Amino acid sequence: MRAAVVTEFGGPEAVRIVDAEVPEPAARQVRIKVAAAALNPVDAGVRAGAFGGAGKQIGLGWDVAGTVDATGVATAWEAGDEVVALDYGMVRPLAAHAEYVVVDTAAVAKAPATVDAVHAATLPLNALTAAQALDLLRPAPGQSLLVTGAAGAVGGFAVQLAAHRGVSVTALARESDAELMRSLGAAHLVSGAVDPGGFDAVLDAAVLGETVLEWVRDGGAYVGVIPQAHPAPVRGARTAAVEVSADGARLAQLAGLVDRGVLTLRVAETYALEDAAEAHARLAQGGVRGRLVLIP
């Protein structure tokens, strides 16, 4: 099979397409024939060496949508099942940007029925991150939540999930994204200064750090999206950072919300797997609304 990997760190030009053996599923694993796989900022971090692995071949890609192709023992999935999955991991020889990928059955969910595989591939990593971040924040219906980076993938899902729960969501985003924010369910939009202590909770998808913590009320809550990189608590406010984990059961719930129209899946552009380096270059330019998706 073909797979996108890096063998030395660098910019988009470091991404290579290599031939590799088709992986075999072990017990409690499935092999997925990849129909689409999203490109995320974490892939750029892996490519640049932010997570280590110098001197190794490192596969790229965390999000996958496709068809179960083979199964190990002790799995309820069958060949032909249309699925999505989070292929979690930083430094591995092969990952989801490939023609086939093997994942643990506990990471797999039935694909949303109302969208194609290209859109479905944008769901796992970012929607799970948003959902698990909200689990840490625990905003109650009627409370106020500020989402920074609300026009991004994680931020956009967080806005929709929180609004669906009855939380009053304020989106921190550009004025040009105002219509998008309203469509996702944000009650308010801010694009500049924010009053100190104005929110019960903040989900900091834009990684603004200590500046954002000032916007949380005394005794409120802050959650960031860079694991173990959140600011220290102040004024009785809780602080934490989400570290996404693969969770097929939760992913199935999120897929159900897609089918119910609660979650919107946004695709910016698609690229052939062979053009993965070009997709990385587009991601590096910034300003992408939605996800770039690779199609083997």
Side-chain angles (χ1 to χ4, degrees), residues 46-185:
V46 171
R47 184 201 73 221
F51 306 104
K56 299 179 180 179
Q57 174 178 297
I58 305 173
L60 301 168
W62 291 46
D63 282 321
V64 60
T67 306
V68 173
D69 169 73
T71 65
V73 298
T75 173
W77 296 102
E78 297 180 353
D81 288 339
E82 301 291 330
V83 297
V84 288
L86 176 64
D87 183 25
Y88 179 91
M90 296 291 185
V91 180
R92 302 159 293 160
L94 298 169
H97 291 171
E99 292 181 309
Y100 295 88
V101 63
V102 167
V103 298
D104 293 341
T105 57
V108 181
K110 183 179 178 181
T114 55
V115 299
D116 59 20
V118 171
H119 285 79
T122 68
L123 180 69
L125 175 59
N126 294 293
L128 281 170
T129 299
Q132 292 169 8
L134 289 171
D135 289 347
L136 293 172
L137 283 171
R138 304 192 299 272
Q143 286 191 313
S144 59
L145 169 68
L146 177 69
V147 178
T148 75
V154 172
F157 283 132
V159 170
Q160 289 191 299
L161 288 169
H164 180 62
R165 300 179 188 181
V167 176
S168 177
V169 181
T170 296
L172 180 64
R174 298 174 182 172
E175 288 287 349
S176 58
D177 289 316
E179 183 176 347
L180 171 63
M181 294 300 95
R182 285 192 293 268
S183 73
L184 297 181

